[in-house]
Amino acid sequence: MKKTLDHLLAPDGPFEPGATVAVRVDFNVPLSGDSITDPTRIDRSMPTLERLADRGARIVLLSHLGRPDGAPDPEYSLAPVARYLTTLDRFPVRFCTATAGPDAADAVASVDPGSALLLENTRFLPGETANDADLGADWAVWTDHYVTDAFGTAHRAHASTDALPRAVREKGGWAVGGLLMERELRFLGNALTEPERPFVAILGGAKISGKIDVIESLLPRTDALLIGGAMANTFFQALGLETGTSLVEPDRVEVARDLLDRGGSSLVLPVDCVVADRIAPDAQPRNAARAEVRPDESIGDIGPGTRDLFRSRLLEAATVVWNGPMGVFEMPPFADGTFAVAEAAAEASDRGSTVIVGGGDSAAAAEAAGVADRITHISTGGGASLEYLAGRSLPGVDVLSDGGADR
Ligand code: ADP
Ligand code: MG
């Protein structure tokens, strides 16, 4: 059990008002020019930041944005994020054009209790992705405690997610998860270790290859594992079915066969599909039983029979984990399956089941289906949530202070 923000701020905790707290956030938001097109990631860290501001912390915010390749690049400046934080008007925020070094240290020295300073993009320095201990030590000089809400980068050991919290702990400070981090770990962790049953997982997306470990990890834990998306095509081949010109991973057919053998009736494949002569926005689709796909056709979505089947399995579940769209939902002819699953997941959630959505495209699909606010928990970490569901530990979590279980 890792220590949390509650432990840090508890009356008998180590936090003193006026302490400098470095907060690793995930402000890697989509930008169009210098305006933020979706501030969700910033908004989701506000509870943690407000809590710290209310308690008189001197907050220093660290985040990456995009992939600027270890050097300053105006395209990836966090300045628009600082402007957005200012418009929220929850606590005073200033921006520092330096990421580390003496200029950053000077700016940090003039932060008032209850205010925040946003440092420039951590990936403007090559030491960030190299997990440079010196960079961690540079930040740690002025850091009393470290808080992380950056679940989305917790699967990477970078200077701001590993070297810094390590250095802070070495000098006697605490490194803890913020409210968002805690929420992510609670929902995903509970699903893995003590799910309310029936526990149904539904997986889709483009490829099996990136998700074999997730399937392996979930198969023994779930009561049913539903498979859609292009991933299902590789399983169809394993069953000896015609998949036409569909996206298939020939080198994974053997793995799929093995999973089918081991999964037995708990591995549920589509019974029908939406097919067309090509996957395009103006394609003329038709519904086909899975055994009736023609050699010149591509599978672009799950069919109506499968939507009903998956819907009823999802509505029976007390815990649902969904990762991966059921079809090429970006194109209208192949979007219905994904939207039907999104709606069924939301309905399960309405009825009191715990529904967790992980994965960038799945979160986008839930959003596009208009059901995002009905889902119990949409994970902010694409890659990180998959790593976690695959049963792997996350470096950015491992590094945090231990011993929260006693409280
Ligand atoms: P997530 O980001 O939620 O983990 P993935 O990245 O694994 O999801 O997969 C998303 C992609 O899978 C989408 O872009 C979607 O178009 C694609 N996809 C789903 N079904 C099919 C299919 N039948 N054929 C081709 N691509 C598919
Ligand atoms: Mg994706």
Side-chain angles (χ1 to χ4, degrees):
M1 180 71 190
K2 295 295 187 178
K3 287 198 162 90
T4 65
L5 189 64
D6 279 338
H7 301 129
L8 177 68
L9 299 179
D12 59 344
F15 177 83
E16 307 269 358
T20 303
V21 181
V23 187
R24 180 44 161 110
V25 280
D26 182 359
F27 286 170
N28 183 27
V29 288
L31 290 174
S32 164
D34 62 359
S35 71
I36 298 168
T37 53
D38 180 4
T40 306
R41 285 184 168 163
I42 303 173
D43 296 342
R44 293 185 84 178
S45 275
M46 287 312 286
T48 295
L49 301 181
E50 284 178 52
R51 215 35 191 275
L52 285 164
D54 287 348
R55 289 292 304 276
R58 303 163 71 242
I59 302 168
V60 183
L61 299 166
L62 290 161
S63 178
H64 76 284
L65 174 70
R67 294 170 182 270
D69 208 28
D73 180 342
E75 197 188 328
Y76 298 111
S77 173
L78 282 168
V81 174
R83 278 198 295 279
Y84 175 78
L85 287 169
T86 308
T87 62
L88 292 180
D89 202 25
R90 309 272 180 77
F91 43 80
V93 180
R94 278 189 303 122
F95 181 59
C96 175
T97 54
T99 303
D103 290 348
D106 282 351
V108 170
S110 61
V111 177
D112 293 323
S115 306
L117 177 76
L118 174 62
L119 296 180
E120 184 56 286
N121 195 336
T122 53
R123 289 195 190 165
F124 282 5
L125 299 178
E128 166 69 335
T129 52
N131 195 16
D132 179 11
D134 291 341
L135 178 54
D138 181 285
W139 285 321
V141 166
W142 41 255
T143 305
D144 295 312
H145 302 291
Y146 171 91
V147 174
T148 176
D149 254 351
F151 178 72
T153 40
H155 58 312
R156 305 235 159 82
H158 289 172
S160 65
T161 62
D162 184 69
L164 168 59
R166 213 170 275 281
V168 169
R169 288 186 65 184
E170 259 161 40
K171 65 181 258 201
W174 280 24
V176 304
L179 299 173
L180 175 60
M181 176 66 95
E182 201 191 333
R183 188 180 158 83
E184 293 277 9
L185 297 177
R186 178 157 40 89
F187 277 108
L188 295 171
N190 285 352
L192 286 181
T193 57
E194 47 193 35
E196 239 190 281
R197 293 187 181 277
F199 175 20
V200 175
I202 176 159
L203 297 178
K207 291 181 170 177
I208 293 192
S209 47
K211 297 187 181 175
I212 286 174
D213 293 345
V214 179
I215 302 176
E216 290 277 4
S217 158
L218 289 178
L219 197 55
R221 301 178 207 260
T222 50
D223 299 291
L225 184 55
L226 319 180
I227 304 270
M231 196 189 266
N233 303 343
T234 304
F235 284 97
F236 289 161
Q237 278 218 341
L239 291 174
L241 296 170
E242 173 67 64
T243 53
T245 53
S246 305
L247 180 58
V248 173
E249 290 172 280
D251 54 334
R252 305 293 157 158
V253 173
E254 208 46 56
V255 175
R257 198 170 287 135
D258 173 54
L259 287 166
L260 283 169
D261 282 346
R262 283 189 286 138
S265 60
S266 65
L267 200 61
V268 185
L269 293 179
V271 292
D272 59 358
C273 352
V274 177
V275 295
D277 58 359
R278 67 210 158 88
I279 304 293
D282 59 348
Q284 300 293 314
R286 72 174 187 102
N287 298 324
R290 70 182 189 192
E292 283 159 15
V293 177
R294 296 176 197 140
D296 61 344
E297 286 177 323
S298 255
I299 301 170
D301 195 8
I302 56 173
T306 308
R307 285 169 221 161
D308 289 345
L309 173 68
F310 284 6
R311 179 189 153 78
S312 63
R313 299 305 291 261
L314 292 176
L315 291 180
E316 283 164 19
T319 306
V320 172
V321 166
W322 174 26
N323 168 265
M326 297 293 104
V328 186
F329 76 102
E330 299 90 341
M331 300 181 191
F334 309 106
D336 290 351
T338 301
F339 290 167
V341 160
E343 179 56 37
E347 250 177 271
S349 189
D350 291 344
R351 294 182 184 189
S353 304
T354 300
V355 178
I356 301 157
V357 175
D361 292 293
S362 317
E367 200 69 56
V371 302
D373 56 355
R374 290 161 61 200
I375 304 284
T376 320
H377 179 68
I378 298 189
S379 178
T380 49
S385 51
L386 286 182
E387 294 278 322
Y388 199 71
L389 287 174
R392 280 191 221 110
S393 64
L394 305 174
V397 174
D398 285 348
V399 73
L400 302 178
S401 306
D402 295 303
D406 49 334
R407 294 181 201 231

